[in-house]
Amino acid sequence: MAQAPLKYPIGIQDFSKLRTNGYVYIDKTALIYEIANLDQCIFLSRPRRFGKSLLLTTIEEYFKGHKELFAGLKINSLEKGWKSYPVLHFDFNATGNINLSTINDYLQDKLSAYAKQYGIEISPILKDAGARFGNLIEQISRQQGQGVVILIDEYDKGLLAYLSDDKELEKMQDFLRGFFSQLKAQDKYIRFAMLTGVARFQHLSIFSDLNNLTDISMDHRYATICGITQAEAHEYLRDGIDKMATASGCGYEEMVGVLKQKYDGYRFSKAEEKVFNPFSLLNALDKHELGSYWVMSGTSKIFIDYLSQSKFDVSELLTVWYSEKELSNKYDKDNPIPLLYQTGYLTIAESDGGFFRLAMPNGEVREALMEQLIPMYMGVSRNIPYRLNQIKRMVMNGDIDGWLAQLKSLIASAPYQSLVKDEENPIERFYHLMVYQMFIMLGIDTHSEINIAGGRIDMVSTTPNLVYVMEFKLDGTPRAALRQIDKKGYAIPYSADGRTLYKIGITFSSTTHTIDKWVYTKI
């Protein structure tokens, strides 16, 4: 008898519905058991559509003691004494059109519904949502004789709606501060509390008094609590990957590689394990088709808006190292990095002693952003997707004259003032970083300013069949650049690689403000 096709929980955020209707569930319950028994007030930041809502409804069912929903899952071997707790669950996604009035109405309605459910009358003199919330927590705890569980999903929905409106943002922060402060004020009546959102909380004034809140967003122990690891994909989604491979005319391992390039790559801590974007991966397996599902479900406009209004140097997006504190800063137009990291457009590429270098996570994000970021950065707009695909194809095929001619044209169209921003950032560096940025956004494995025994290589790019070792000069000769590659032995570390190796000398002109000449040799 043929095996029934897997049912993928696309858009399914309710754990009970998922389990009772036979959807695939990636078992995260061992980690959930750990988190739920921290006996603290917990905060988790993850990008949109990464499974935060499903996580909270799973935790809700655990604390309600619905053991039957967890049959066969890892938590069953860990939990020895199932108990039922009162749970108050608030989902800010449910507020529809976001403004202060709709959020207040939503919270007031939820508080009234919970009061009715437990047969409690909140004092009529309490009108403020925060005060009513605190009173409800205390009364339920006293009535039930145990602590209350508080779950708050997408707490920052109202904040993100007013990122560009400081006045309205301040009003929203004042309101939310009064509501969330009850998590501290009523601490003795709370068994467990968890908030999820996109924005990290450390520097948001709404949590200024909430010193009992523990942020696990970059805790390596819980780095894979949302998203799908490669091991989980093999364990739970093998049948779907097999079917997609058959539909695509390739083998299982090749299909895994394609899916990894397109949707994997998210890393949220110093731990090196990465996760797939769950929304995109499940959509691709369901439809047997690669698509930009996560990108198309929202918008990258916030990324572009912040960069276009920012004084931040776009060329530093992928080259600067950041501390955890910097990655958790509040959003700032002059430093969009926290926004881009927290919303999922950038992720951790490397870690070193508490510092992190970022990168675009995968092909889906890179392809979407290069069509918008490069036009903004380069000052061009026509035929960008086509031209970028041309450049990538030429790089992959070894057409050096072709891709350098295309880069020359693109760089020439960039406004001169976008290249030379101040005297501390010489134009040569911007030319270098512009080429580096272009290769990175095209998804070509590229490293810049590589230290070796003989000196520092300007740039090395590799494809499955080719290695490009490049040296850049301003107002010099490409032959001089090529001689430096030979004199310093820049190509030696790659000479035994087995791939075709090109040494390329490239010069830029301070007069024409673009690539001037180039010369190359093949090894």
Side-chain angles (χ1 to χ4, degrees):
M1 187 171 64
Q3 184 178 359
L6 296 177
K7 292 176 64 177
Y8 299 104
I10 299 168
I12 305 297
Q13 301 175 346
D14 184 87
F15 180 70
S16 175
K17 180 178 180 180
L18 183 150
R19 293 290 287 169
T20 55
N21 287 279
Y23 289 97
V24 174
Y25 177 62
I26 309 298
D27 190 353
K28 303 285 187 178
T29 58
L31 285 176
I32 287 172
Y33 178 80
E34 277 190 48
I35 290 171
N37 285 280
L38 289 174
D39 199 24
Q40 295 173 327
C41 187
I42 305 298
F43 173 77
L44 176 70
S45 165
R46 286 294 182 270
R48 60 184 176 82
R49 293 191 176 274
F50 254 74
K52 299 188 297 294
S53 298
L54 176 60
L55 172 64
L56 285 194
T57 61
T58 308
I59 291 174
E60 177 176 5
E61 298 299 343
Y62 166 70
F63 274 113
K64 286 182 174 178
H66 292 164
K67 181 180 179 180
E68 68 281 1
L69 294 176
F70 296 86
L73 299 181
K74 295 173 184 176
I75 202 169
N76 262 325
S77 64
L78 300 170
E79 181 57 74
K80 305 303 181 183
W82 289 81
K83 292 180 62 177
S84 177
Y85 294 88
V87 179
L88 306 182
H89 189 161
F90 302 88
D91 181 2
F92 280 72
N93 273 319
T95 56
N97 182 34
I98 298 294
N99 57 54
L100 192 55
S101 177
T102 57
I103 287 181
N104 180 63
D105 289 347
Y106 166 77
L107 292 175
Q108 296 284 11
D109 289 345
K110 288 288 289 185
L111 293 169
S112 296
Y114 279 126
K116 182 178 180 180
Q117 175 183 333
Y118 287 96
I120 288 171
E121 183 177 347
I122 301 175
S123 174
I125 65 172
L126 299 176
K127 305 295 184 183
D128 176 77
R132 296 185 73 216
F133 182 36
N135 184 260
L136 183 66
I137 293 170
E138 180 179 350
Q139 288 202 64
I140 292 176
S141 176
R142 291 182 182 279
Q143 179 197 80
Q144 299 291 310
Q146 57 188 335
V148 179
V149 173
I150 312 292
L151 304 174
I152 299 175
D153 198 10
E154 302 291 3
Y155 85 94
D156 55 347
K157 193 79 171 179
L159 301 174
L160 295 175
Y162 291 113
L163 279 180
S164 299
D165 189 333
D166 292 340
K167 186 176 180 180
E168 291 301 318
L169 180 61
E170 186 175 355
K171 291 179 183 177
M172 184 68 74
Q173 287 177 324
D174 288 342
F175 174 79
L176 293 177
R177 186 185 304 113
F179 189 78
F180 295 134
S181 65
Q182 299 302 319
L183 298 177
K184 175 63 175 178
Q186 305 300 330
D187 183 59
K188 67 179 179 179
Y189 300 111
I190 296 174
R191 160 64 180 84
F192 175 85
M194 185 167 184
L195 297 86
T196 70
V198 172
R200 299 282 295 278
F201 74 83
Q202 280 95 327
H203 299 280
L204 292 177
S205 62
I206 61 172
F207 294 121
S208 57
D209 298 324
L210 206 57
N211 57 10
N212 63 330
L213 192 57
T214 300
D215 185 358
I216 63 169
S217 303
M218 295 184 73
D219 189 320
H220 67 278
R221 295 172 296 176
Y222 312 113
T224 62
I225 189 65
C226 291
I228 300 172
T229 67
Q230 186 171 341
E232 289 169 338
H234 287 310
E235 181 178 356
Y236 298 101
L237 304 174
R238 178 174 289 274
D239 181 63
I241 297 172
D242 262 330
K243 285 183 170 59
M244 189 169 180
T246 300
S248 302
C250 65
Y252 176 86
E253 292 300 331
E254 184 180 352
M255 192 73 251
V256 170
V258 170
L259 292 169
K260 279 175 63 65
Q261 188 280 327
K262 187 76 171 180
Y263 304 123
D264 196 17
Y266 284 95
R267 177 179 168 185
F268 298 107
S269 77
K270 64 183 180 182
E272 294 188 4
E273 189 165 29
K274 298 176 181 179
V275 294
F276 286 91
N277 181 316
F279 184 76
S280 288
L281 179 60
L282 295 178
N283 267 285
L285 295 179
D286 182 56
K287 297 175 175 59
H288 295 173
E289 183 178 348
L290 298 174
S292 297
Y293 300 106
W294 181 77
V295 169
M296 296 302 293
S297 70
T299 176
S300 56
K301 185 175 184 296
I302 192 170
F303 184 108
I304 304 305
D305 285 349
Y306 259 67
L307 289 184
S308 63
Q309 297 174 36
S310 174
K311 297 177 183 177
F312 188 81
D313 183 354
V314 176
S315 65
E316 293 185 0
L317 280 176
L318 310 178
T319 59
V320 174
W321 289 75
Y322 302 91
S323 67
E324 180 176 344
K325 181 178 179 181
E326 288 173 305
L327 293 180
S328 63
N329 279 339
K330 67 179 181 180
Y331 300 158
D332 184 341
K333 287 187 175 66
D334 290 336
N335 180 15
I337 288 297
L339 171 70
L340 306 183
Y341 170 71
Q342 293 168 34
T343 53
Y345 293 109
L346 295 178
T347 195
I348 294 171
E350 297 179 74
S351 67
D352 183 5
F355 288 85
F356 304 92
R357 187 180 66 79
L358 305 181
M360 294 178 192
N362 52 46
E364 178 184 19
V365 173
R366 187 186 304 112
E367 290 160 13
L369 291 180
M370 73 181 181
E371 295 179 8
Q372 300 178 64
L373 182 58
I374 288 179
M376 182 202 79
Y377 188 39
M378 306 295 285
V380 295
S381 58
R382 296 186 60 188
N383 296 320
I384 279 295
Y386 175 74
R387 294 180 71 180
L388 294 174
N389 285 329
Q390 266 193 322
I391 293 171
K392 184 169 185 177
R393 185 168 61 251
M394 291 170 178
V395 171
M396 301 299 284
N397 293 335
D399 182 1
I400 298 172
D401 292 317
W403 62 256
L404 277 166
Q406 287 286 338
L407 284 182
K408 178 177 180 177
S409 173
L410 281 175
I411 295 174
S413 65
Y416 179 69
Q417 59 269 27
S418 74
L419 299 178
V420 184
K421 298 190 178 183
D422 55 62
E423 295 179 356
E424 295 180 1
N425 293 298
I427 191 171
E428 182 178 2
R429 178 172 175 270
F430 277 97
Y431 288 136
H432 179 169
L433 287 173
M434 189 174 288
V435 177
Y436 170 75
Q437 185 90 351
M438 187 78 70
F439 271 68
I440 287 292
M441 295 191 73
L442 288 172
I444 298 163
D445 186 15
T446 300
H447 300 273
S448 179
E449 299 183 344
I450 306 161
N451 289 309
I452 64 170
R456 188 166 63 183
I457 310 172
D458 277 347
M459 194 168 112
V460 175
S461 295
T462 61
T463 75
N465 302 309
L466 303 168
V467 177
Y468 297 110
V469 177
M470 290 172 260
E471 181 67 22
F472 304 110
K473 295 292 183 185
L474 178 65
D475 295 329
T477 68
R479 290 287 177 190
L482 202 60
R483 283 196 298 271
Q484 183 170 330
I485 293 176
D486 290 333
K487 181 180 179 181
K488 300 286 188 178
Y490 290 165
I492 292 174
Y494 309 95
S495 59
D497 182 273
R499 289 175 281 191
T500 300
L501 191 154
Y502 286 98
K503 299 179 292 185
I504 311 175
I506 301 171
T507 59
F508 300 100
S509 169
S510 60
T511 303
T512 61
H513 311 307
T514 187
I515 293 172
D516 183 23
K517 299 175 183 177
W518 59 86
V519 66
Y520 54 89
T521 60
K522 178 180 176 181
I523 299 179

